[in-house]
Amino acid sequence: MSEFTFDPFNPEFSRSDELKALTTEMRARCPIARPVPGYAYVCRYDDTRQGFLNYQQLSSRAELRAIGVVVADEEKFIGEMD
């Protein structure tokens, strides 16, 4: 994995042409990047599919909220669900 640094949570960046150019480059050179600590940004279908199939190892069920915070399933963000 190579390092591509960007803020995947910035709504302005996520709607920009810069993101389109960056993901095109990432698909060619680094389809799985870690733009910020603790997160992976996956750019290719096959890699994304493998991640979904291997959800036990790549779970996102924790770490988005403060330690110890328990949230009902219907109130979770999409990034908190496998």
Side-chain angles (χ1 to χ4, degrees), residues 24-45:
T24 297
E25 181 181 357
M26 287 170 60
R27 277 191 296 277
R29 292 192 318 116
C30 178
I32 302 172
R34 297 206 176 269
V36 294
Y39 290 87
Y41 197 92
V42 183
C43 296
R44 294 189 310 202
Y45 173 82

Side-chain angles (χ1 to χ4, degrees), residues 11-32:
E12 297 301 317
F13 182 72
S14 68
R15 291 187 289 265
S16 72
D17 289 336
E18 184 182 356
L19 177 61
K20 293 174 189 173
L22 179 65
T23 54
T24 297
E25 181 181 357
M26 287 170 60
R27 277 191 296 277
R29 292 192 318 116
C30 178
I32 302 172

